[in-house]
PDB file of all heavy atoms in Angstrom:
ATOM      1  N   VAL Z   1      21.504   2.536  29.128  1.00  0.00           N
ATOM      2  CA  VAL Z   1      21.344   1.092  29.297  1.00  0.00           C
ATOM      3  C   VAL Z   1      21.083   0.423  27.946  1.00  0.00           C
ATOM      4  O   VAL Z   1      21.675  -0.620  27.626  1.00  0.00           O
ATOM      5  CB  VAL Z   1      20.196   0.791  30.281  1.00  0.00           C
ATOM      6  CG1 VAL Z   1      19.907  -0.703  30.325  1.00  0.00           C
ATOM      7  CG2 VAL Z   1      20.549   1.297  31.677  1.00  0.00           C
ATOM      8  N   GLY Z   2      20.194   1.028  27.154  1.00  0.00           N
ATOM      9  CA  GLY Z   2      19.890   0.457  25.843  1.00  0.00           C
ATOM     10  C   GLY Z   2      21.107   0.449  24.934  1.00  0.00           C
ATOM     11  O   GLY Z   2      21.352  -0.519  24.205  1.00  0.00           O
ATOM     12  N   GLY Z   3      21.895   1.520  24.996  1.00  0.00           N
ATOM     13  CA  GLY Z   3      23.108   1.578  24.188  1.00  0.00           C
ATOM     14  C   GLY Z   3      24.096   0.492  24.570  1.00  0.00           C
ATOM     15  O   GLY Z   3      24.761  -0.090  23.711  1.00  0.00           O
ATOM     16  N   SER Z   4      24.182   0.193  25.869  1.00  0.00           N
ATOM     17  CA  SER Z   4      25.089  -0.863  26.326  1.00  0.00           C
ATOM     18  C   SER Z   4      24.637  -2.234  25.814  1.00  0.00           C
ATOM     19  O   SER Z   4      25.471  -3.123  25.578  1.00  0.00           O
ATOM     20  CB  SER Z   4      25.178  -0.863  27.851  1.00  0.00           C
ATOM     21  OG  SER Z   4      23.933  -1.234  28.431  1.00  0.00           O
ATOM     22  N   LEU Z   5      23.327  -2.405  25.617  1.00  0.00           N
ATOM     23  CA  LEU Z   5      22.818  -3.660  25.074  1.00  0.00           C
ATOM     24  C   LEU Z   5      23.146  -3.802  23.587  1.00  0.00           C
ATOM     25  O   LEU Z   5      23.302  -4.917  23.076  1.00  0.00           O
ATOM     26  CB  LEU Z   5      21.301  -3.747  25.270  1.00  0.00           C
ATOM     27  CG  LEU Z   5      20.801  -3.852  26.717  1.00  0.00           C
ATOM     28  CD1 LEU Z   5      19.281  -3.827  26.753  1.00  0.00           C
ATOM     29  CD2 LEU Z   5      21.324  -5.122  27.374  1.00  0.00           C
ATOM     30  N   LEU Z   6      23.239  -2.669  22.894  1.00  0.00           N
ATOM     31  CA  LEU Z   6      23.551  -2.695  21.463  1.00  0.00           C
ATOM     32  C   LEU Z   6      25.053  -2.730  21.198  1.00  0.00           C
ATOM     33  O   LEU Z   6      25.481  -3.123  20.106  1.00  0.00           O
ATOM     34  CB  LEU Z   6      22.949  -1.465  20.776  1.00  0.00           C
ATOM     35  CG  LEU Z   6      21.422  -1.372  20.755  1.00  0.00           C
ATOM     36  CD1 LEU Z   6      20.983  -0.026  20.187  1.00  0.00           C
ATOM     37  CD2 LEU Z   6      20.836  -2.511  19.919  1.00  0.00           C
ATOM     38  N   LEU Z   7      25.840  -2.324  22.181  1.00  0.00           N
ATOM     39  CA  LEU Z   7      27.284  -2.195  21.988  1.00  0.00           C
ATOM     40  C   LEU Z   7      27.959  -3.482  21.514  1.00  0.00           C
ATOM     41  O   LEU Z   7      28.836  -3.422  20.633  1.00  0.00           O
ATOM     42  CB  LEU Z   7      27.925  -1.701  23.290  1.00  0.00           C
ATOM     43  CG  LEU Z   7      29.398  -1.248  23.189  1.00  0.00           C
ATOM     44  CD1 LEU Z   7      29.533  -0.104  22.203  1.00  0.00           C
ATOM     45  CD2 LEU Z   7      29.900  -0.833  24.572  1.00  0.00           C
ATOM     46  N   PRO Z   8      27.607  -4.657  22.038  1.00  0.00           N
ATOM     47  CA  PRO Z   8      28.276  -5.883  21.567  1.00  0.00           C
ATOM     48  C   PRO Z   8      28.144  -6.116  20.069  1.00  0.00           C
ATOM     49  O   PRO Z   8      29.046  -6.698  19.445  1.00  0.00           O
ATOM     50  CB  PRO Z   8      27.586  -6.994  22.369  1.00  0.00           C
ATOM     51  CG  PRO Z   8      27.080  -6.324  23.601  1.00  0.00           C
ATOM     52  CD  PRO Z   8      26.686  -4.948  23.158  1.00  0.00           C
ATOM     53  N   PHE Z   9      27.042  -5.660  19.468  1.00  0.00           N
ATOM     54  CA  PHE Z   9      26.830  -5.879  18.040  1.00  0.00           C
ATOM     55  C   PHE Z   9      27.758  -5.016  17.186  1.00  0.00           C
ATOM     56  O   PHE Z   9      27.920  -5.270  15.997  1.00  0.00           O
ATOM     57  CB  PHE Z   9      25.370  -5.613  17.674  1.00  0.00           C
ATOM     58  CG  PHE Z   9      24.409  -6.552  18.353  1.00  0.00           C
ATOM     59  CD1 PHE Z   9      23.701  -6.153  19.469  1.00  0.00           C
ATOM     60  CD2 PHE Z   9      24.222  -7.843  17.885  1.00  0.00           C
ATOM     61  CE1 PHE Z   9      22.823  -7.022  20.115  1.00  0.00           C
ATOM     62  CE2 PHE Z   9      23.343  -8.722  18.511  1.00  0.00           C
ATOM     63  CZ  PHE Z   9      22.649  -8.307  19.630  1.00  0.00           C
ATOM     64  N   CYS Z  10      28.351  -3.989  17.800  1.00  0.00           N
ATOM     65  CA  CYS Z  10      29.308  -3.154  17.072  1.00  0.00           C
ATOM     66  C   CYS Z  10      30.564  -3.938  16.704  1.00  0.00           C
ATOM     67  O   CYS Z  10      31.294  -3.550  15.783  1.00  0.00           O
ATOM     68  CB  CYS Z  10      29.704  -1.937  17.916  1.00  0.00           C
ATOM     69  SG  CYS Z  10      28.364  -0.785  18.246  1.00  0.00           S
ATOM     70  N   PHE Z  11      30.820  -5.015  17.423  1.00  0.00           N
ATOM     71  CA  PHE Z  11      32.028  -5.807  17.195  1.00  0.00           C
ATOM     72  C   PHE Z  11      31.736  -7.062  16.372  1.00  0.00           C
ATOM     73  O   PHE Z  11      32.591  -7.941  16.263  1.00  0.00           O
ATOM     74  CB  PHE Z  11      32.654  -6.184  18.540  1.00  0.00           C
ATOM     75  CG  PHE Z  11      32.980  -4.992  19.391  1.00  0.00           C
ATOM     76  CD1 PHE Z  11      32.119  -4.572  20.395  1.00  0.00           C
ATOM     77  CD2 PHE Z  11      34.132  -4.251  19.160  1.00  0.00           C
ATOM     78  CE1 PHE Z  11      32.410  -3.470  21.180  1.00  0.00           C
ATOM     79  CE2 PHE Z  11      34.433  -3.151  19.935  1.00  0.00           C
ATOM     80  CZ  PHE Z  11      33.573  -2.749  20.945  1.00  0.00           C
ATOM     81  N   SER Z  12      30.540  -7.111  15.803  1.00  0.00           N
ATOM     82  CA  SER Z  12      30.200  -8.237  14.945  1.00  0.00           C
ATOM     83  C   SER Z  12      31.070  -8.223  13.687  1.00  0.00           C
ATOM     84  O   SER Z  12      31.442  -7.166  13.180  1.00  0.00           O
ATOM     85  CB  SER Z  12      28.717  -8.158  14.556  1.00  0.00           C
ATOM     86  OG  SER Z  12      28.416  -9.099  13.545  1.00  0.00           O
ATOM     87  N   LYS Z  13      31.408  -9.395  13.195  1.00  0.00           N
ATOM     88  CA  LYS Z  13      32.223  -9.496  11.978  1.00  0.00           C
ATOM     89  C   LYS Z  13      31.367  -9.546  10.722  1.00  0.00           C
ATOM     90  O   LYS Z  13      31.870  -9.816   9.635  1.00  0.00           O
ATOM     91  CB  LYS Z  13      33.117 -10.738  12.067  1.00  0.00           C
ATOM     92  CG  LYS Z  13      34.148 -10.656  13.188  1.00  0.00           C
ATOM     93  CD  LYS Z  13      35.057 -11.868  13.193  1.00  0.00           C
ATOM     94  CE  LYS Z  13      36.098 -11.755  14.308  1.00  0.00           C
ATOM     95  NZ  LYS Z  13      37.011 -12.927  14.339  1.00  0.00           N
ATOM     96  N   THR Z  14      30.079  -9.264  10.886  1.00  0.00           N
ATOM     97  CA  THR Z  14      29.167  -9.219   9.745  1.00  0.00           C
ATOM     98  C   THR Z  14      28.781  -7.764   9.458  1.00  0.00           C
ATOM     99  O   THR Z  14      29.173  -6.847  10.168  1.00  0.00           O
ATOM    100  CB  THR Z  14      27.894 -10.029  10.038  1.00  0.00           C
ATOM    101  OG1 THR Z  14      27.134  -9.356  11.062  1.00  0.00           O
ATOM    102  CG2 THR Z  14      28.253 -11.426  10.534  1.00  0.00           C
ATOM    103  N   ARG Z  15      28.012  -7.578   8.398  1.00  0.00           N
ATOM    104  CA  ARG Z  15      27.569  -6.229   8.034  1.00  0.00           C
ATOM    105  C   ARG Z  15      26.635  -5.629   9.080  1.00  0.00           C
ATOM    106  O   ARG Z  15      26.386  -4.420   9.063  1.00  0.00           O
ATOM    107  CB  ARG Z  15      26.881  -6.254   6.662  1.00  0.00           C
ATOM    108  CG  ARG Z  15      27.818  -6.476   5.486  1.00  0.00           C
ATOM    109  CD  ARG Z  15      27.120  -6.161   4.175  1.00  0.00           C
ATOM    110  NE  ARG Z  15      26.012  -7.048   3.920  1.00  0.00           N
ATOM    111  CZ  ARG Z  15      26.062  -8.107   3.101  1.00  0.00           C
ATOM    112  NH1 ARG Z  15      27.190  -8.411   2.499  1.00  0.00           N
ATOM    113  NH2 ARG Z  15      24.993  -8.858   2.903  1.00  0.00           N
ATOM    114  N   TYR Z  16      26.113  -6.446   9.990  1.00  0.00           N
ATOM    115  CA  TYR Z  16      25.225  -5.926  11.024  1.00  0.00           C
ATOM    116  C   TYR Z  16      25.944  -5.021  12.015  1.00  0.00           C
ATOM    117  O   TYR Z  16      25.306  -4.349  12.829  1.00  0.00           O
ATOM    118  CB  TYR Z  16      24.537  -7.073  11.764  1.00  0.00           C
ATOM    119  CG  TYR Z  16      23.334  -7.600  11.043  1.00  0.00           C
ATOM    120  CD1 TYR Z  16      23.437  -8.703  10.202  1.00  0.00           C
ATOM    121  CD2 TYR Z  16      22.100  -6.976  11.163  1.00  0.00           C
ATOM    122  CE1 TYR Z  16      22.333  -9.186   9.507  1.00  0.00           C
ATOM    123  CE2 TYR Z  16      20.987  -7.445  10.482  1.00  0.00           C
ATOM    124  CZ  TYR Z  16      21.111  -8.542   9.654  1.00  0.00           C
ATOM    125  OH  TYR Z  16      20.012  -9.006   8.963  1.00  0.00           O
ATOM    126  N   ALA Z  17      27.259  -4.991  11.950  1.00  0.00           N
ATOM    127  CA  ALA Z  17      28.009  -4.070  12.803  1.00  0.00           C
ATOM    128  C   ALA Z  17      27.792  -2.620  12.359  1.00  0.00           C
ATOM    129  O   ALA Z  17      27.873  -1.698  13.175  1.00  0.00           O
ATOM    130  CB  ALA Z  17      29.502  -4.401  12.758  1.00  0.00           C
ATOM    131  N   VAL Z  18      27.510  -2.409  11.071  1.00  0.00           N
ATOM    132  CA  VAL Z  18      27.389  -1.051  10.529  1.00  0.00           C
ATOM    133  C   VAL Z  18      26.238  -0.276  11.178  1.00  0.00           C
ATOM    134  O   VAL Z  18      26.455   0.821  11.716  1.00  0.00           O
ATOM    135  CB  VAL Z  18      27.239  -1.093   8.993  1.00  0.00           C
ATOM    136  CG1 VAL Z  18      26.961   0.301   8.441  1.00  0.00           C
ATOM    137  CG2 VAL Z  18      28.502  -1.671   8.368  1.00  0.00           C
ATOM    138  N   PRO Z  19      24.992  -0.785  11.154  1.00  0.00           N
ATOM    139  CA  PRO Z  19      23.917  -0.028  11.831  1.00  0.00           C
ATOM    140  C   PRO Z  19      24.128   0.077  13.332  1.00  0.00           C
ATOM    141  O   PRO Z  19      23.764   1.094  13.937  1.00  0.00           O
ATOM    142  CB  PRO Z  19      22.646  -0.821  11.492  1.00  0.00           C
ATOM    143  CG  PRO Z  19      23.108  -2.146  11.031  1.00  0.00           C
ATOM    144  CD  PRO Z  19      24.452  -1.952  10.442  1.00  0.00           C
ATOM    145  N   ALA Z  20      24.735  -0.934  13.949  1.00  0.00           N
ATOM    146  CA  ALA Z  20      24.964  -0.888  15.399  1.00  0.00           C
ATOM    147  C   ALA Z  20      25.940   0.223  15.759  1.00  0.00           C
ATOM    148  O   ALA Z  20      25.727   0.970  16.717  1.00  0.00           O
ATOM    149  CB  ALA Z  20      25.490  -2.233  15.888  1.00  0.00           C
ATOM    150  N   ILE Z  21      27.013   0.361  14.985  1.00  0.00           N
ATOM    151  CA  ILE Z  21      28.005   1.408  15.246  1.00  0.00           C
ATOM    152  C   ILE Z  21      27.391   2.795  15.083  1.00  0.00           C
ATOM    153  O   ILE Z  21      27.569   3.680  15.922  1.00  0.00           O
ATOM    154  CB  ILE Z  21      29.218   1.239  14.302  1.00  0.00           C
ATOM    155  CG1 ILE Z  21      30.010  -0.018  14.677  1.00  0.00           C
ATOM    156  CG2 ILE Z  21      30.121   2.473  14.353  1.00  0.00           C
ATOM    157  CD1 ILE Z  21      31.088  -0.380  13.683  1.00  0.00           C
ATOM    158  N   ALA Z  22      26.649   2.984  13.989  1.00  0.00           N
ATOM    159  CA  ALA Z  22      26.023   4.287  13.748  1.00  0.00           C
ATOM    160  C   ALA Z  22      25.012   4.614  14.844  1.00  0.00           C
ATOM    161  O   ALA Z  22      24.936   5.755  15.318  1.00  0.00           O
ATOM    162  CB  ALA Z  22      25.355   4.294  12.374  1.00  0.00           C
ATOM    163  N   LEU Z  23      24.244   3.620  15.269  1.00  0.00           N
ATOM    164  CA  LEU Z  23      23.211   3.843  16.289  1.00  0.00           C
ATOM    165  C   LEU Z  23      23.834   4.154  17.642  1.00  0.00           C
ATOM    166  O   LEU Z  23      23.373   5.062  18.355  1.00  0.00           O
ATOM    167  CB  LEU Z  23      22.305   2.622  16.377  1.00  0.00           C
ATOM    168  CG  LEU Z  23      21.056   2.740  17.245  1.00  0.00           C
ATOM    169  CD1 LEU Z  23      20.250   3.981  16.884  1.00  0.00           C
ATOM    170  CD2 LEU Z  23      20.193   1.493  17.092  1.00  0.00           C
ATOM    171  N   CYS Z  24      24.882   3.431  18.014  1.00  0.00           N
ATOM    172  CA  CYS Z  24      25.550   3.704  19.297  1.00  0.00           C
ATOM    173  C   CYS Z  24      26.183   5.090  19.287  1.00  0.00           C
ATOM    174  O   CYS Z  24      26.200   5.779  20.317  1.00  0.00           O
ATOM    175  CB  CYS Z  24      26.600   2.634  19.578  1.00  0.00           C
ATOM    176  SG  CYS Z  24      25.901   1.046  20.113  1.00  0.00           S
ATOM    177  N   ALA Z  25      26.699   5.513  18.136  1.00  0.00           N
ATOM    178  CA  ALA Z  25      27.259   6.863  18.024  1.00  0.00           C
ATOM    179  C   ALA Z  25      26.171   7.913  18.219  1.00  0.00           C
ATOM    180  O   ALA Z  25      26.389   8.943  18.880  1.00  0.00           O
ATOM    181  CB  ALA Z  25      27.925   7.039  16.657  1.00  0.00           C
ATOM    182  N   LEU Z  26      24.982   7.665  17.664  1.00  0.00           N
ATOM    183  CA  LEU Z  26      23.855   8.574  17.853  1.00  0.00           C
ATOM    184  C   LEU Z  26      23.489   8.690  19.329  1.00  0.00           C
ATOM    185  O   LEU Z  26      23.310   9.801  19.853  1.00  0.00           O
ATOM    186  CB  LEU Z  26      22.653   8.059  17.059  1.00  0.00           C
ATOM    187  CG  LEU Z  26      21.281   8.654  17.426  1.00  0.00           C
ATOM    188  CD1 LEU Z  26      21.217  10.115  17.043  1.00  0.00           C
ATOM    189  CD2 LEU Z  26      20.156   7.874  16.782  1.00  0.00           C
TER     190      LEU Z  26
END
């Protein structure tokens, strides 16, 4: 559930997508 809440930030067009992608992969 928590990962699904973070998933939208993976598609951000800013640098904040980087930690979100790595965290969702973890």
